[in-house]
Amino acid sequence: MATKKTITKPTTTKNKGALKSKIFKYFWKFVLWFNIISLFFVVLYKFVPVPFTPLMVIRYFENSAAGKDIETQHDWVPLVDISKNLQKAVIASEDGNFCKHNGFDFKAMQKAATGNFKGKRLKGGSTISQQTAKNVFLWQGRSYLRKALEAYYTVLIELIWGKERIMEVYLNSIEMGDGIYGAQAACQHWYNKDCKSLTRMQAAGIAAILPNPRKFNPLHSSAHISKKKNKIAQYILITKLNY
């Protein structure tokens, strides 16, 4: 008795080509829309105060899950109403070449990478521009995707915002305590005063706790933070603002 053979038709080259073309088309549509939307928000935030950041949302849900009733304090103020002492303090503490680089300090990044490789305390080498890009548009983390997007937004804000606006957004958006975001909220919380009238030591105190503002306290600081505060206060005297 003859056995019938079932012949399976192979997927045609034409069908494979159509599938690839469709995937390629959707990919480029995604890239196009991502660039349009990201560019829109970067241009918008050049003129409009940033109402909230992804970190504020994350912290809210973290505190809610932990049963903590922590109010979010965030009061936007223009850069002219933020003490120059604080502006100089964060440059001295976080990014000494802020006014000189174009968003990336490759020497600092190389130095940080070398130190981390040798087993020293982990440092990121991120500039104020990079930190601002991350705080305003992205999530926390160390993935390659997040770092790539951070670089993308850093280039955009350097080109579109300029240094003054980057500093203004940075000082109004960064976490400066548990539920405390921005210079004005921090000054009200820690010193019960407006951020325009910060003294040199008070500004140094806030800048000194920035690596972990939910852990450290500028008023009752450890020996390490006190030493750092005094060092920053000295650097404030020689730091220039050349935006």
Side-chain angles (χ1 to χ4, degrees):
M1 182 181 291
T3 304
K4 289 185 177 181
K5 292 184 178 180
T6 303
I7 300 175
T8 304
K9 292 183 179 180
T11 304
T12 65
T13 305
K14 185 177 180 181
N15 289 338
K16 287 183 178 180
L19 180 61
K20 287 182 180 179
S21 178
K22 196 172 183 179
I23 293 173
F24 187 77
K25 181 180 178 181
Y26 280 119
F27 172 76
W28 281 110
K29 273 189 175 181
F30 171 79
V31 171
L32 177 63
W33 278 107
F34 173 77
N35 279 278
I36 291 172
I37 293 170
S38 58
L39 186 60
F40 169 78
F41 278 105
V42 171
V43 172
L44 178 68
Y45 288 152
K46 177 178 174 65
F47 306 102
V48 177
V50 179
F52 61 88
T53 66
L55 182 60
M56 294 179 193
V57 178
I58 291 169
R59 292 287 190 242
Y60 173 81
F61 284 108
E62 283 179 351
N63 290 329
S64 296
K68 298 178 181 178
D69 185 18
I70 298 175
E71 180 184 356
T72 299
Q73 301 175 47
H74 179 224
D75 301 308
W76 185 281
V77 292
L79 190 62
V80 292
D81 290 332
I82 298 177
S83 169
K84 282 185 168 53
N85 283 327
L86 185 57
Q87 296 176 48
K88 292 178 179 180
V90 295
I91 290 174
S93 174
E94 300 293 297
D95 183 5
N97 293 316
F98 173 69
C99 295
K100 300 176 183 177
H101 61 62
N102 294 316
F104 306 93
D105 190 338
F106 295 105
K107 288 184 178 179
M109 291 166 69
Q110 184 179 16
K111 184 178 178 181
T114 302
N116 294 338
F117 181 75
K118 291 180 179 179
K120 295 181 180 180
R121 184 177 297 177
L122 288 175
K123 295 180 180 179
S126 293
T127 63
I128 285 176
S129 301
Q130 289 174 275
Q131 292 179 47
T132 304
K134 177 188 68 176
N135 289 336
V136 175
F137 300 106
L138 302 169
W139 63 95
Q140 305 295 305
R142 292 181 177 273
S143 68
Y144 289 114
L145 173 62
R146 212 258 318 143
K147 293 299 290 183
L149 290 173
E150 178 186 295
Y152 167 76
Y153 277 108
T154 299
V155 172
L156 284 184
I157 65 175
E158 280 281 342
L159 289 173
I160 297 172
W161 290 2
K163 294 295 185 182
E164 282 192 62
R165 182 59 176 176
I166 290 173
M167 178 60 74
E168 184 174 57
V169 174
Y170 175 78
L171 287 175
N172 275 288
S173 304
I174 56 173
E175 187 176 38
M176 292 185 171
D178 211 353
I180 303 165
Y181 302 91
Q184 181 67 3
C187 294
Q188 291 285 352
H189 179 80
W190 296 117
Y191 302 119
N192 195 30
K193 65 191 304 185
D194 290 334
C195 59
K196 191 171 186 177
S197 56
L198 273 187
T199 66
R200 185 163 54 92
M201 286 305 297
Q202 288 171 337
I206 290 178
I209 68 169
L210 287 184
N212 196 337
R214 297 199 297 167
K215 177 182 178 181
F216 299 123
N217 186 320
L219 300 176
H220 309 288
S221 50
S222 63
H224 169 70
I225 296 298
S226 294
K227 183 179 179 181
K228 187 177 179 181
K229 187 195 307 185
N230 291 330
K231 188 176 181 181
I232 292 171
Q234 292 301 313
Y235 273 110
I236 290 174
L237 294 173
I238 60 175
T239 299
K240 295 182 179 180
L241 299 176
N242 298 318
Y243 295 140

